[in-house]
Amino acid sequence: MDAVLLDRLKATLEKHAPEPAKYDCPKCEDRGYTFEIKDGYEVAVPCSCLEKRQSIEKLALSNLTEVFRQKTINSFKADKEWQIKAKNEVIRYINDFLKKETNASLILCGNPGSGKTHLGIGTMLELINNNVGCVYKEYISMLTNLKQVINEEEEFIRELEKYINPRVLFLDDFLKGEVTSADRKYIYKVINTRYLKGKPMIISTEKSIKEILMFDEAVGSRIVEMTQNNIITFPRGIENNYRLRNII
Ligand SMILES: [Zn+2]
């Protein structure tokens, strides 16, 4: 075959070549794993996108996906000084977490409707986008789920692992409502295990740091230490209610 014909054939083949598949992660082609040969065997190696993939899957299961997806850092409207400050502090926290790999926790203290959950979810979304596995859990539902399986040891451990294993756990509305002595044990178990493993949390709460310390000094002091000063306190008062902002 002469060279001209060969070139023409090549050009034709290229023209009709199938579109290259588009993957979110070309490295593993969205499988979450890559395959390597080790000692003559093919082994699956978790890809750097796996944590993100699993977080998104969990979000999808939580029914909150759409609401979640809208609560980005960018969509947090900051027109008051304290809102701008809170938003900037959260952005700094995210940057430090990703660039310096600080493992610091973040706590957002404020009234209902102050926007703390929005900023917490926004933080989580940013971390997920950077392949940091995050799990969202409402504090009350964590306690309910743990209590339901208290008499079945294996089930209980499996439930507990949901809050202990994730790289980052977002506990929403921490210490909401009455706390029984049984609750106190579970709270300590989750917080202390994460503390010992150096696993960060995002916490939103209506309590102040002082109130958390008064509730339980062991729990409170661990949380304070984990935050490494990433404590955002929203000013109290109805005028700061983020949800009512457009109504008043
Ligand atoms: Zn991948």
Side-chain angles (χ1 to χ4, degrees):
M1 209 183 285
D2 65 63
V4 178
L5 197 65
L6 195 64
D7 278 348
R8 209 177 289 162
L9 190 63
K10 257 193 207 163
T12 312
L13 280 174
E14 267 165 34
K15 201 176 155 194
H16 296 283
E19 281 272 301
K22 285 200 175 68
Y23 295 107
D24 290 334
C25 178
K27 200 167 129 199
C28 69
E29 297 180 348
D30 293 349
R31 281 186 294 245
Y33 290 89
T34 55
F35 296 90
E36 287 174 13
I37 305 291
K38 264 186 195 153
D39 302 325
Y41 293 96
E42 195 179 43
V43 290
V45 181
C47 183
S48 55
C49 72
L50 184 64
E51 268 198 282
K52 174 184 177 178
R53 210 165 283 290
Q54 288 170 340
S55 293
I56 291 169
E57 279 165 19
K58 278 179 191 140
L59 278 182
L61 290 174
S62 73
N63 273 338
L64 289 162
T65 320
E66 199 44 48
V67 183
F68 263 79
R69 235 182 285 142
Q70 291 164 3
K71 290 191 192 295
T72 62
I73 298 292
N74 279 339
S75 73
F76 181 80
K77 293 228 168 54
D79 27 53
K80 290 201 177 106
E81 202 177 316
W82 63 269
Q83 290 170 330
I84 296 166
K85 201 172 154 236
K87 188 172 174 172
N88 286 340
E89 279 178 47
V90 164
I91 291 169
R92 188 192 43 77
Y93 167 80
I94 296 165
N95 286 339
D96 281 358
F97 191 102
L98 296 173
K99 281 189 196 137
K100 299 181 192 162
E101 292 170 26
T102 59
N103 257 1
S105 296
L106 173 71
I107 185 162
L108 302 142
C109 309
N111 281 355
S114 57
K116 55 189 189 307
T117 297
H118 185 144
L119 281 178
I121 291 173
T123 303
M124 202 174 100
L125 293 175
E126 284 296 319
L127 296 182
I128 289 173
N129 280 333
N130 285 280
N131 296 328
V132 177
C134 301
V135 167
Y136 169 88
K137 195 71 192 172
E138 267 179 312
Y139 158 82
I140 297 261
S141 101
M142 176 184 83
L143 289 183
T144 308
N145 292 353
L146 283 168
K147 267 183 259 184
Q148 272 167 357
V149 290
I150 184 62
N151 294 318
E152 296 143 78
E153 205 190 331
E154 264 180 49
E155 284 275 312
F156 182 78
I157 291 169
R158 211 173 304 145
E159 188 62 35
L160 197 60
E161 282 177 343
K162 290 182 193 168
Y163 315 116
I164 288 169
N165 289 345
R167 170 86 200 283
V168 176
L169 174 71
F170 178 12
L171 211 46
D172 197 12
D173 249 336
F174 183 61
L175 297 186
K176 174 112 182 158
E178 292 292 314
V179 182
T180 67
S181 59
D183 295 342
R184 204 177 275 260
K185 267 195 300 185
Y186 305 141
I187 297 165
Y188 180 78
K189 183 88 186 153
V190 171
I191 304 283
N192 190 49
T193 307
R194 296 196 65 91
Y195 169 80
L196 293 174
K197 289 186 170 184
K199 286 189 165 181
M201 303 178 70
I202 300 166
I203 293 174
S204 91
T205 180
E206 286 173 29
K207 305 273 186 237
S208 66
I209 294 293
K210 196 176 157 195
E211 284 166 335
I212 297 171
L213 283 164
M214 271 158 54
F215 156 76
D216 190 310
E217 208 183 323
V219 167
S221 60
R222 277 161 182 74
I223 289 175
V224 170
E225 195 184 325
M226 286 164 91
T227 62
Q228 299 174 28
N229 279 330
N230 291 292
I231 298 167
I232 298 176
T233 305
F234 296 85
R236 297 196 162 178
I238 186 70
E239 69 277 13
N240 294 322
N241 192 313
Y242 187 72
R243 261 175 240 148
L244 296 177
R245 208 169 47 99
N246 299 321
I247 305 164
I248 295 173

